[in-house]
């Protein structure tokens, strides 16, 4: 997943096998910490799993407040890991946290490597838009 505003990949900070590592943006290098598999939950939502670690894209504490951190966590089937996506046109998508209705957002619309990823109220900016690319293994 590449952020439209920054051109950077959704990235897991540090070793993806570690418990609870942070999610951020970073230059696209194709590493295992930038790969995501999508699995249907059967309720209209999906979960994003990092294939290397087996852990899921997770909203910290399943909180609903703007600015709540997004991290990697054990795949546990909770609402913190339920996502949907919606096209915004031209091959771009917003990724929506199903329980809160907030979207996956690059903090402050920044473009620097290491910028944090969080959830935020949908404001239609490129910081909240993503491209999906298929990776051949």
């Amino acid at each position: 997943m590449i952020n439209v505003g920054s051109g950077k990949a959704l990235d897991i900070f540090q070793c993806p096998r570690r418990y609870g590592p942070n999610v951020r943006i970073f230059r696209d290098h194709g590493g295992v910490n930038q790969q995501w598999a999508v699995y249907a939950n059967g309720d209209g939502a999906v979960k994003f799993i990092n294939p290397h670690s087996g852990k899921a894209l997770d909203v910290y504490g399943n909180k609903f407040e703007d600015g709540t951190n997004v991290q990697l966590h054990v795949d546990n089937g909770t609402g913190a890991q339920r996502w949907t996506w919606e096209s915004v046109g031209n091959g771009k998508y917003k990724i929506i946290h199903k329980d809160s209705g907030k979207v996956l957002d690059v903090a402050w619309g920044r473009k620097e490597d290491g910028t944090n990823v969080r959830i935020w109220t949908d404001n239609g900016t490129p910081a909240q838009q993503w491209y999906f690319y298929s990776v051949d293994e």
Side-chain angles (χ1 to χ4, degrees):
M1 292 185 269
I2 303 293
N3 179 256
V4 172
S6 67
K8 306 281 173 100
L10 189 66
D11 180 277
I12 304 161
F13 181 63
Q14 295 183 345
C15 176
R17 291 180 188 253
R18 198 180 114 219
Y19 180 79
N22 197 41
V23 175
R24 64 185 186 167
I25 58 167
F26 201 82
R27 70 175 170 76
D28 181 14
H29 54 70
V32 296
N33 61 324
Q34 296 180 344
Q35 296 174 12
W36 302 92
V38 182
Y39 295 93
N41 286 336
D43 61 357
V46 299
K47 59 184 173 182
F48 294 98
I49 302 291
N50 172 258
H52 180 65
S53 68
K55 294 188 174 81
L57 190 66
D58 180 278
V59 174
Y60 178 78
N62 199 30
K63 296 183 179 181
F64 294 0
E65 293 84 15
D66 281 344
T68 300
N69 196 48
V70 174
Q71 64 182 3
L72 198 68
H73 198 277
V74 173
D75 179 12
N76 57 25
T78 66
Q81 299 173 357
R82 296 174 67 237
W83 303 89
T84 62
W85 66 77
E86 183 177 305
S87 174
V88 297
N90 298 318
K92 300 178 253 185
Y93 294 86
K94 59 183 172 182
I95 301 170
I96 306 157
H97 178 237
K98 180 91 169 153
D99 285 7
S100 70
K102 308 279 175 142
V103 298
L104 198 62
D105 175 270
V106 174
W108 306 286
R110 295 180 61 180
K111 299 178 181 185
E112 296 83 16
D113 283 345
T115 299
N116 197 46
V117 174
R118 62 194 184 172
I119 57 168
W120 199 267
T121 300
D122 185 1
N123 58 31
T125 62
Q128 299 179 341
Q129 298 172 2
W130 302 84
Y131 294 112
F132 289 94
Y133 293 98
S134 179
V135 176
D136 296 327
E137 292 190 37

